[in-house]
């Protein structure tokens, strides 16, 4: 079992205080957005045996187990994070596995450099993800019912938005949503900037259900993503609740601290709330234009104390243990690789004492006994 030394990424949207508060360290004054735990080549965790990439590369079957290597190849198929949003992230969507393979192969054939700002597909993998709230956590997830979106937008009283309201009353629903999102993202930039400014003023004045969009507009003045965001469900997670974000589902994280797990991929197509490249035709190919409930997940408890967040994919499996003061040791040994992360209290994992933010990598099949008082998240795979 290896204690992990993890990199904190200073993205501009990060909270300057949330991760330091969790870790018990002094804020630096700079944003601290994500702490990465895993073997992503961009910022692999470090161990006493080298980086986790080097450890796994030296003996994939020993570290990951034969079943995981046979199913996913000689790499850790997930990336675990602590995510601290102090401002809204970009409105985005992820491709499914087939779309990612096709898109990556196409851009490779066309000779687009992987680090080019207009490149959509950094790899040939999909990027399903799960966010579990540690604090109250605000986000956007999936399309609202078009009539509900029409009512919200109409309530702003902005004349230039009336055509979108009319379109949202059309049938079928998927065509209406597609037409409105296309119109928003291809509108004249100057005209859209004025519309967003007028909408932002109305959101601030009205408050209530419009409050999140006033905040989004504050961070991204004039961005068409402010209007696009109103097509989506706003959801507020309570600690312990989670959202699963599958392929084609538009989403954005707005504010809060959470544990995030995802397939090991960088493939993101942006819809707005960003100065980065927005490829509208490719985006429209990937987005699934159907209204949906956000589907807030609550963990399913088992007799041994494990609380599992059920998802339909195999690259990751996230669960947690809330360890009581009088509880005994729990044997978490599995035939698949694991990362264990403490988010509250004090937990002993093997020979390692973990406080909030502390984590360990457990190779496949290695004895993993935990005890103590606190909350422990367990990330592994289904193989």
């Amino acid at each position: 079992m290896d204690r992990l030394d993890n990199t904190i990424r200073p993205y501009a949207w990060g909270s300057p205080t949330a991760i330091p508060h969790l870790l018990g360290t002094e804020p630096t004054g700079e944003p601290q957005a994500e702490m990465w735990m895993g073997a992503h080549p961009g910022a692999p965790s470090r161990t006493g045996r080298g980086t986790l990439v080097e450890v796994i590369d030296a003996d994939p079957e020993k570290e990951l187990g034969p079943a995981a290597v046979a199913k996913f190849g000689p790499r850790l198929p997930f990336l675990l994070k602590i995510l601290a949003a102090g401002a809204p992230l970009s409105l985005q969507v992820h491709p499914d596995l087939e779309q990612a393979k096709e898109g990556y192969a196409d851009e490779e054939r066309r000779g687009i450099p992987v680090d080019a700002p207009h490149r959509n597909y950094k790899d040939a993998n999909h990027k399903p993800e799960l966010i579990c709230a540690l604090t109250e956590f605000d986000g956007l997830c999936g399309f609202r019912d078009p009539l509900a979106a029409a009512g919200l937008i109409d309530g702003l009283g902005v004349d230039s938005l009336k055509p979108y309201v009319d379109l949202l009353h059309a049938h079928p629903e998927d065509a209406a949503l597609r037409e409105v999102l296309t119109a928003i993202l291809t509108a004249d930039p100057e005209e859209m900037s004025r519309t967003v400014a007028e909408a932002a003023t109305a959101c601030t004045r009205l408050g209530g259900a419009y409050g999140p969009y006033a905040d989004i507009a504050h961070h991204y003045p004039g961005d068409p993503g402010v209007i696009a965001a109103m097509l989506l469900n706003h959801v507020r997670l309570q600690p312990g609740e989670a959202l699963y974000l599958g392929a084609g589902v538009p989403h954005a994280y707005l504010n809060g601290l959470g544990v995030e797990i995802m397939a090991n991929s960088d493939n993101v197509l942006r819809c707005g709330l960003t100065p980065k490249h927005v490829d509208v035709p490719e985006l429209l190919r990937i987005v699934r234009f159907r209204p949906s409930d956000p589907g807030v997940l609550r963990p399913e408890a088992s007799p041994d104390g494990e609380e599992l967040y059920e998802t339909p994919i195999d690259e990751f499996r996230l669960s947690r243990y809330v360890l009581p003061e009088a509880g005994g040791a729990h044997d978490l040994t599995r035939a698949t690789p694991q990362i264990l992360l403490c988010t509250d209290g004090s937990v002993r994992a093997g020979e390692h004492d973990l406080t909030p933010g502390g984590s360990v990598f457990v190779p496949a099949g290695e004895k993993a006994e935990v005890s103590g008082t606190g909350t422990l998240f367990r990330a592994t795979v289904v193989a």
Side-chain angles (χ1 to χ4, degrees), residues 305-307 320-325 330 344 372-376:
E306 184 180 34
E307 299 178 343
R320 69 173 185 175
Y321 290 82
V322 180
L323 303 175
E325 187 170 353
H330 291 258
D344 183 58
T373 305
T375 302
L376 186 77

Side-chain angles (χ1 to χ4, degrees), residues 238-260:
Q238 298 304 312
E241 294 181 335
L243 284 177
Y244 172 71
L245 301 154
V249 178
H251 61 276
Y253 301 147
L254 303 180
N255 187 68
L257 181 71
V259 172
E260 184 184 36

